[in-house]
Amino acid sequence: LSLNSDIFGLLEIENDFGETSTGNAVKVLVDKLNAVGEDTYDWVRPKQDGVDKTFVDTSDAISNAFIFKSSSFRVAGVNILTDSNIPDAFTDALPIFDGSGS
C-alpha cells in the first residue's frame, strides 16, 4: 500500500459491525487491504454490532470506525458513548444521542 499508514479514521461508515455479517463494511475494507498488503491491518470492534442491536438491520444509521496496523497498535478497550458520558451542559438543550438511529 502506498500510504503505509499506521491508523485510519473512517467517518460515515455503515453501522454494521457483526463479525460474520456480509454488511460489515469496515471488515470488508480490512480484508481487501490485507489481500493486497501483508495482512497487517485490523479494525476496532465495538462492544455491540451496531448503534442499537434491535434496529441494526432496519436503520440507516452510520458510524465511525478505525483501521490500524496491528504491529503498531493494540486495542486496550472500547467504550460506547452515550448521553450519560456527556456533561449536562451539552445535553440540556438537545440530546446528542436521541434514539435507536443515533
Side-chain angles (χ1 to χ4, degrees), residues 4-96:
N4 197 27
S5 296
D6 287 338
I7 192 164
F8 297 93
L10 305 171
L11 303 175
E12 298 196 13
I13 194 156
E14 183 66 29
N15 178 42
D16 182 347
F17 300 110
E19 193 71 38
T20 59
S21 173
T22 58
N24 184 337
V26 69
K27 182 180 183 311
V28 169
L29 183 55
V30 167
D31 289 347
K32 298 289 185 185
L33 285 169
N34 288 336
V36 298
E38 300 175 8
D39 195 29
T40 59
Y41 288 98
D42 202 353
W43 57 285
V44 175
R45 289 153 180 83
K47 290 183 180 178
Q48 58 189 31
D49 292 340
V51 170
D52 185 325
K53 291 170 101 173
T54 306
F55 299 100
V56 72
D57 293 330
T58 59
S59 77
D60 192 28
I62 55 173
S63 190
N64 302 313
F66 290 97
I67 295 174
F68 62 95
K69 192 176 284 186
S70 54
S71 61
S72 300
F73 293 94
R74 68 179 172 81
V75 178
V78 176
N79 291 315
I80 302 288
L81 187 63
T82 66
D83 276 347
S84 65
N85 304 110
I86 310 289
D88 289 341
F90 293 104
T91 59
D92 283 345
L94 294 170
I96 296 172

